[in-house]
Amino acid sequence: MDRPGFTASLVAGGVAGVSVDLILFPLDTIKTRLQSPQGFYKAGGFYGVYAGVPSTAIGSFPNAAAFFVTYEYVKWILHTDSSSYLMPVTHMLAASVGEVVACLIRVPSEVVKQRAQVSASSGTFHIFSNILCQEGIQGLYRGYKSTVLREIPFSLVQFPLWESLKALWSWRQDHVVDSWQSAVCGAFAGWFQHREREHPLCPARGLADTGAVGIICRCLPSHGSHQSGRFHLSWCL
C-alpha cells in the first residue's frame, strides 16, 4: 500500500467537513433547539439559525482533516493486503482511531456551538470566554468520552462499508472508482449507518439485537469465500 498523501488527506477532508457542516448548520440548530429542556421557542425558535456558526467554521476544517489524515495513516501503518479477509477490520481500527483524534477538536467546537444555538443573543467568543473562565479547559471537553463512545460504533459500520462498496464497484468496472462514484458509495454508507443509529433493526426481519457489530460480523466473508476481503454485500443490502 502506497504512503498516503498528507496534504491531499488534510485538504480534501477539511474542505469536505466545512462544506457539509455549513450547509446543514440550520438543520442542526433547529434539532438542538427542539431537544433543549427550555423548549424550542424559548431556545430561539427559527430566529438566528446560524448562531454558533463561527465555532463550526473554525472547528470543521481541522476536525475533518484530523480524522481523514489519521484514518489514512492508520490504514497505511496496518497495510493489510487488499485480498485479506481482515481488510474490513483494518478499516474499523483506522476509523476508530480517527474518531478519537478528531473528537479532540470536535468536542470543544460542539460545546461552544450548542450553547450558542440555545442562546442566540450571546456571541460565540463571549460563550467561549465564559466557559474558560468558569469551567476551565475541562468545560470545553465536557462529554468527550460519551461523544467518542457514540461515534465509534457508527464508524465501525460506515467506513468498512464505504471502502467495500468502492472495492466492489472498482472490481466490477475494472478500474478505480471516480470521485462521484466514491461519493455515491459514501452516501449509501452514511444512510445505512443512520438507519442503524435511528431505527434499530426489527425482530420481524430476523435481525433483532443484531446491532452494528453483529452486522459487521455477518457481512465479513468466511475463509472459504471466493471474494475474500470484501463484505457479502448481497446480504448487507
Side-chain angles (χ1 to χ4, degrees):
M1 183 176 180
D2 295 334
R3 185 183 179 89
F6 176 83
T7 304
S9 299
L10 183 78
V11 175
V15 170
V18 170
S19 300
V20 171
D21 285 344
L22 292 183
I23 291 171
L24 299 180
F25 191 87
L27 295 178
D28 185 63
T29 300
I30 292 172
K31 183 197 75 170
T32 300
R33 291 176 179 176
L34 286 170
Q35 296 172 338
S36 173
Q38 59 186 306
F40 177 68
Y41 288 103
K42 287 186 177 180
F46 292 103
Y47 171 76
V49 292
Y50 275 98
V53 74
S55 171
T56 296
I58 294 171
S60 287
F61 190 97
N63 164 42
F67 175 86
F68 280 101
V69 167
T70 305
Y71 178 71
E72 294 296 335
Y73 266 82
V74 172
K75 283 199 306 179
W76 176 72
I77 290 171
L78 296 176
H79 62 272
T80 305
D81 189 85
S82 60
S83 63
S84 171
Y85 67 92
L86 291 176
M87 178 61 83
V89 178
T90 298
H91 297 147
M92 292 180 205
L93 291 174
S96 299
V97 176
E99 289 292 356
V100 171
V101 173
C103 281
L104 293 172
I105 302 170
R106 182 184 308 157
V107 171
S109 175
E110 286 288 313
V111 169
V112 175
K113 180 196 73 174
Q114 290 175 358
R115 295 193 187 187
Q117 286 174 330
V118 297
S119 181
S121 59
S122 299
T124 300
F125 182 75
H126 178 70
I127 292 173
F128 176 75
S129 300
N130 280 347
I131 294 174
L132 284 180
C133 292
Q134 297 174 12
E135 305 174 48
I137 195 70
Q138 295 90 344
L140 291 174
Y141 282 94
R142 186 180 299 277
Y144 174 80
K145 292 180 182 178
S146 60
T147 301
V148 170
L149 292 175
R150 180 195 69 188
E151 295 297 333
I152 285 180
F154 303 111
S155 292
L156 292 179
V157 174
Q158 183 176 4
F159 284 90
L161 182 56
W162 175 52
E163 297 281 7
S164 295
L165 287 169
K166 290 194 298 179
L168 180 62
W169 203 334
S170 298
W171 173 67
R172 292 295 298 271
Q173 66 185 10
D174 202 27
H175 65 80
V176 178
V177 293
D178 298 324
S179 57
W180 71 268
Q181 294 171 326
S182 178
V184 170
C185 295
F188 179 84
W191 169 82
F192 186 86
Q193 69 89 12
H194 178 75
R195 280 180 56 85
E196 176 70 2
R197 183 195 297 250
E198 303 293 343
H199 307 289
L201 298 170
C202 66
R205 296 177 184 172
L207 296 172
D209 301 322
T210 299
V213 175
I215 288 175
I216 293 295
C217 292
R218 290 286 296 274
C219 291
L220 284 172
S222 63
H223 288 279
S225 172
H226 68 283
Q227 287 190 14
S228 59
R230 298 190 180 92
F231 282 170
H232 292 311
L233 289 175
S234 59
W235 185 91
C236 286
L237 300 180

